[in-house]
Amino acid sequence: MANAPLFVDHIEAAVDHVLDTVAGDIVLGIPLGIGKPNPFVNALYRRIKGNPARRLRIVTALSLERPVGKTELEQNFLGPLVERVFKDYPDLEYVKDLRAQALPPNVEVREFFMKTGDYLGNPAAQQGYISTNYTFVARDMDVQGMNVIAQAVGARGEGPTLRLSLSSNPDIVLEVLERYAKQGKPLLKIAVINKQMPFMPNGAEVSPAIYDLVVTDPAATHTLFGPPNNKVSTAEYAIGLHAASLVTDGGTLQIGIGALGDAIAQALIVRDRHGEDFRRILESLTPDGLEGRELGRFDQGLYGCSEMFVNGFLRLIEAGIIRREVFDDVELQQLINDGRIPAESVTPETLRVLLERGRIHAPLTADDLAFLQRFGILRAEVTLGAEGLALGTQRCSADLRDAAAFELVSRYMLGTRLVGGKFMTGGFFIGPQDFYERLRTMPAQDLAKIDMTSVAFINQLYGQGNLKRAQRRRARFMNTAMMVTALGAAVSDALDSGQVVSGVGGQYNFVAMAHALPDARLVMMLRATHDNQAGLRSSIVWSYGNITIPRHLRDIVVTEYGVADLRGQPDREVIQRLVAVTDARFQDELVRQAKANGKLPADYEVPARYRQNLPQVLEDKLRPWMQSGLLPDFPFGTELTEDELHIVRALKKLKHASHHPAELVSMAVRSLWDAKEAPAAYLERLGLAEARSLKDLLMRRLLANNL
């Protein structure tokens, strides 16, 4: 029997316990994203920072921080917004010091996934990065010598009835605990209760006994990190629409966070509810026709299986699209897949098919009864004794091959529908504040269909492989890349300089699954161009010095200009299909390089129909649908006010111009001749109401002309 955990009601007492229990260096593992117990981590960090005799290594990923503007204008704008949205969310102090390159010499941070682009040029973060697949993280935490693991948890009940929920992050914790227990290695396990964490049931619900220390300090409860929804751009909508046309009804879906995930979710809703409009939009976007695309409604629904459970998934659940339930029994799931057993209702045929298949026996055994009751096929009140089955006054033989017994069971003992099904499986979640609130208030019967569990289960087919294959039929694994080479390799994690942008995460695992499952596809999505200080560049390039996904795992690539199906194609065809979804301004150079390297015929010419792959053409095609409200800027709402949205648009224009000197000069000249004045409230918000310096006066004028 497990020992009862130590309960402490003060964070500092928990830190005392760690320092007293771990004699040498502390190697602290904490989950990625919102599962970090920030107040506890900060308290421990401060203690170690103030005591050079002790050393601390933090092993984690995706350390989140309240948004901070890079310029004074951005800082002034963000201040009130951040206070309103993030409220009492406490920033991680090691993140502040890491960003400022001011970590003390006795503290080290090692992350396997970083917030996108935030640590470029930061030596400590770049040198401490661990490149690994998500499914190897538990192993690699062990390699790092982790001896303390701490997590923010949800809680329900008190005293003897207290239950904990790993909530957002059973992703690696479950595997870590199992690994260390098998090896008999010491690991101090700490749960820090944050009452704002949604209490997720199923695989995430655990007994306090799995921990050594449970912290109940009210100071550990705080607002969760909740980034507001981003605006969905025209290009993102086009990508989302193309991607949505690749999803098969009755299948399995993985999507990611951010505007692109929202675009896919909204496109799926449009497809389901506005089918004719969906077809018309796609026809305008697809010069090669719609053969092979999926355009129908989701009559069977989809099953969500994704390491990240995001707001888009919850919206699809609420829209009734994510509703295909899967069951954790291979035989039962396969019979449902084959149409032999209905997924929603229990009938006498359900029993008959299970008998024929040999999943249950005649006569029924105790294990058979447990199976039938677990999935609601027989009522929970049915009992099995020496004389057979019984329910109230009804009695019959346990041999269901006996016609009389089968008839009695069918009439009195059957359940009404299958139970225990799940329509969403995730490893961790993150979303805006209303996402968390909807999880906290979701009816229990709906929440029970969401299973937060280990990435070891979600991200790979190893272990329970037959069950996973049965559940994950017709899977569409949607991932994003920064660049794709003309031969089909994907660049998703780092630059060719070695500087890490984000990390590999689970991308490779889902790519491998897409090729391992017989009816699955990988959908690799990216914008056709990217614009930065180096100017406008194509995201489809001839070659690149860093590769995340090698070319032999190429499958489907989607840009705003279309779908390139690369699976099983020769290099010549791969290049031609990628040219067809490349921005027209970069097609000729790509073709020139391919010909120079002997990969395209000398007489190849880009077909005229692809020469219209231009942003303005795309804008013209989608503008009517965006103006109609079918493709709104914020399909799932926004926490920004109308005034804030106006300011954001202006600031984005200014930021873009700041990276392009010619554009900035042109903008400045126009502002001198076309004098406008911004609303006083906007100027006050941005600290420009009392502008005196030439710089501030010019910025005030530029702002007014870009509103």
Side-chain angles (χ1 to χ4, degrees):
M1 182 178 294
N3 294 324
L6 174 66
F7 286 83
V8 296
D9 59 5
H10 200 285
I11 289 171
E12 293 297 337
V15 174
D16 290 338
H17 184 80
V18 172
L19 295 174
D20 292 342
T21 304
V22 181
D25 295 349
I26 296 171
V27 182
L28 172 67
I30 45 178
L32 61 70
I34 67 170
K36 294 178 175 62
N38 292 22
F40 167 78
V41 174
N42 285 342
L44 178 62
Y45 176 68
R46 285 193 296 268
R47 292 278 201 100
I48 300 294
K49 187 176 179 179
N51 181 6
R54 300 299 300 263
R55 297 185 60 83
L56 171 65
R57 176 183 299 165
I58 298 173
V59 185
T60 188
L62 200 60
S63 297
L64 302 167
E65 179 186 27
R66 289 154 61 111
V68 178
K70 294 182 179 179
T71 67
E72 188 176 351
L73 274 185
E74 290 177 355
Q75 291 166 3
N76 290 337
F77 170 74
L78 283 172
L81 175 63
V82 169
E83 289 303 314
R84 186 176 76 241
V85 174
F86 293 89
K87 300 176 184 176
D88 63 343
Y89 173 80
D91 279 329
L92 291 157
E93 294 174 19
Y94 75 79
V95 172
K96 295 288 188 186
D97 286 350
L98 181 61
R99 287 191 189 280
Q101 301 185 42
L103 280 178
N106 60 331
V107 176
E108 185 180 12
V109 177
R110 297 186 178 179
E111 294 199 87
F112 66 88
F113 197 96
M114 299 190 286
K115 190 167 177 289
T116 303
D118 275 19
Y119 291 98
L120 291 171
N122 186 310
Q126 292 292 328
Q127 293 168 27
Y129 170 71
I130 299 173
S131 184
T132 191
N133 288 335
Y134 204 171
T135 50
F136 296 153
V137 169
R139 177 203 68 187
D140 293 343
M141 283 181 155
D142 189 356
V143 169
Q144 290 295 316
M146 179 177 63
N147 50 26
V148 181
I149 189 167
Q151 176 168 4
V153 299
R156 181 174 291 166
E158 295 180 355
T161 65
L162 176 67
R163 296 287 293 175
L164 301 179
S165 172
L166 302 176
S167 191
S168 167
N169 287 92
D171 52 346
I172 56 175
V173 173
L174 293 170
E175 186 181 351
V176 163
L177 298 184
E178 182 181 3
R179 172 180 288 270
Y180 273 70
K182 284 182 177 179
Q183 296 177 355
K185 297 180 68 170
L187 178 67
L188 182 58
K189 304 173 288 292
I190 303 171
V192 182
I193 294 175
N194 180 349
K195 294 184 178 179
Q196 288 294 308
M197 296 292 287
F199 192 98
M200 305 302 291
N202 301 315
E205 186 172 347
V206 297
S207 165
I210 72 169
Y211 289 101
D212 301 303
L213 187 67
V214 177
V215 182
T216 61
D217 191 339
T221 291
H222 57 77
T223 301
L224 303 178
F225 187 93
N229 294 321
N230 287 325
K231 176 186 174 183
V232 179
S233 69
T234 304
E236 288 161 338
Y237 261 131
I239 294 170
L241 288 158
H242 286 302
S245 72
L246 302 173
V247 178
T248 303
D249 185 25
T252 302
L253 181 66
Q254 179 219 2
I255 58 175
I257 197 171
L260 192 49
D262 289 352
I264 296 168
Q266 177 65 11
L268 290 168
I269 292 171
V270 171
R271 171 181 155 184
D272 188 61
R273 297 181 177 177
H274 307 276
E276 186 54 39
D277 289 333
F278 183 76
R279 174 185 287 275
R280 290 169 59 196
I281 297 171
L282 273 181
E283 285 175 340
S284 73
L285 296 177
T286 311
D288 293 324
L290 299 181
E291 183 180 356
R293 301 293 188 96
E294 300 280 354
L295 306 175
R297 294 198 62 179
F298 294 98
D299 296 323
Q300 299 174 60
L302 301 174
Y303 163 54
C305 184
S306 179
E307 65 183 29
M308 192 186 312
F309 172 36
V310 295
N311 193 31
F313 272 120
L314 191 51
R315 299 293 183 165
L316 290 171
I317 290 171
E318 293 169 342
I321 294 174
I322 296 289
R323 70 174 188 277
R324 181 175 76 85
E325 296 182 23
V326 300
F327 299 85
D328 60 355
D329 182 88
V330 177
E331 293 279 354
L332 177 62
Q333 185 63 55
Q334 194 57 58
L335 288 169
I336 293 171
N337 291 354
D338 296 342
R340 300 287 307 282
I341 289 179
E344 295 183 354
S345 60
V346 173
T347 69
E349 184 64 16
T350 304
L351 278 181
R352 186 173 287 110
V353 170
L354 290 171
L355 275 170
E356 291 174 357
R357 189 68 168 252
R359 180 60 185 86
I360 56 176
H361 305 88
L364 293 177
T365 66
D367 286 343
D368 291 333
L369 178 62
F371 161 76
L372 293 169
Q373 291 179 324
R374 177 184 171 200
F375 292 107
I377 299 167
L378 288 187
R379 294 170 58 180
E381 302 85 359
V382 175
T383 60
L384 175 63
E387 297 181 0
L389 297 170
L391 176 63
T393 60
Q394 303 297 329
R395 301 280 192 279
C396 69
S397 166
D399 188 348
L400 297 185
R401 296 195 185 279
D402 177 86
F406 189 90
E407 173 64 23
L408 189 143
V409 168
S410 297
R411 179 174 297 183
Y412 298 107
M413 299 185 185
L414 284 185
T416 56
R417 72 182 309 276
L418 293 178
V419 300
K422 310 292 189 299
F423 53 44
M424 179 73 223
T425 304
F428 72 96
F429 55 71
I430 188 169
Q433 295 300 335
D434 71 326
F435 169 79
Y436 303 133
E437 183 59 22
R438 296 201 310 279
L439 286 180
R440 285 190 287 258
T441 58
M442 183 178 286
Q445 67 271 20
D446 296 331
L447 199 62
K449 298 183 187 300
I450 300 172
D451 188 20
M452 302 301 297
T453 189
S454 167
V455 295
F457 180 82
I458 298 166
N459 288 29
Q460 61 188 358
L461 297 177
Y462 304 116
Q464 296 181 275
N466 290 336
L467 176 64
K468 294 175 183 179
R469 290 172 185 275
Q471 292 178 340
R472 299 172 194 185
R473 63 176 184 170
R474 304 172 191 166
R476 298 297 180 264
F477 299 124
M478 299 193 176
N479 286 260
T480 57
M482 299 185 295
M483 288 176 279
V484 167
T485 73
L487 294 173
V491 181
S492 309
D493 65 320
L495 306 179
D496 59 359
S497 64
Q499 287 280 308
V500 180
V501 177
S502 54
V504 176
Q507 185 171 102
Y508 174 82
N509 299 119
F510 282 99
V511 171
M513 266 199 297
H515 287 277
L517 291 167
D519 53 4
R521 299 302 300 268
L522 162 70
V523 181
M524 190 67 78
M525 304 172 295
L526 73 162
R527 294 186 184 186
T529 61
H530 54 275
D531 194 3
N532 53 34
Q533 291 178 326
L536 187 69
R537 297 287 186 270
S538 176
S539 299
I540 299 179
V541 298
W542 175 247
S543 62
Y544 197 69
N546 175 73
I547 294 298
T548 314
I549 305 299
R551 60 191 275 202
H552 71 274
L553 293 176
R554 60 198 182 196
D555 199 345
I556 295 175
V557 171
V558 175
T559 76
E560 60 266 40
Y561 299 117
V563 175
D565 189 342
L566 311 181
R567 181 179 282 193
Q569 298 301 319
D571 282 355
R572 178 188 65 240
E573 188 66 26
V574 167
I575 296 168
Q576 291 177 1
R577 293 186 182 193
L578 286 172
V579 166
V581 298
T582 297
D583 187 291
R585 293 166 290 182
F586 299 96
Q587 289 171 340
D588 289 339
E589 176 58 20
L590 200 61
V591 169
R592 185 195 67 77
Q593 289 178 296
K595 288 181 178 180
N597 287 282
K599 285 292 186 175
L600 275 181
D603 61 351
Y604 171 78
E605 297 290 338
V606 179
R609 62 187 181 276
Y610 305 134
R611 291 295 192 178
Q612 296 301 304
N613 290 359
L614 295 166
Q616 190 57 55
V617 175
L618 191 67
E619 290 276 355
D620 293 342
K621 290 177 178 178
L622 287 187
R623 185 181 298 112
W625 305 103
M626 299 181 82
Q627 291 176 341
S628 73
L630 208 61
L631 305 175
D633 287 352
F634 296 90
F636 306 132
T638 177
E639 291 170 303
L640 277 69
T641 66
E642 283 298 322
D643 285 341
E644 287 171 337
L645 290 173
H646 285 307
I647 296 173
V648 165
R649 294 186 189 106
L651 291 179
K652 284 187 174 180
K653 292 178 185 177
L654 290 174
K655 186 171 185 177
H656 182 272
S658 71
H659 293 158
H660 300 80
E663 182 180 336
L664 184 60
V665 170
S666 174
M667 187 182 290
V669 170
R670 286 199 309 272
S671 72
L672 294 175
W673 293 103
D674 185 16
K676 295 179 181 177
E677 191 61 55
Y682 293 9
L683 298 175
E684 187 71 31
R685 174 73 173 261
L686 297 174
L688 295 174
E690 304 296 330
R692 294 286 185 270
S693 69
L694 180 61
K695 175 185 174 183
D696 285 350
L697 288 169
L698 178 60
M699 192 61 66
R700 178 169 169 161
R701 186 69 63 84
L702 288 172
L703 173 73
N705 280 270
N706 278 286
L707 282 171

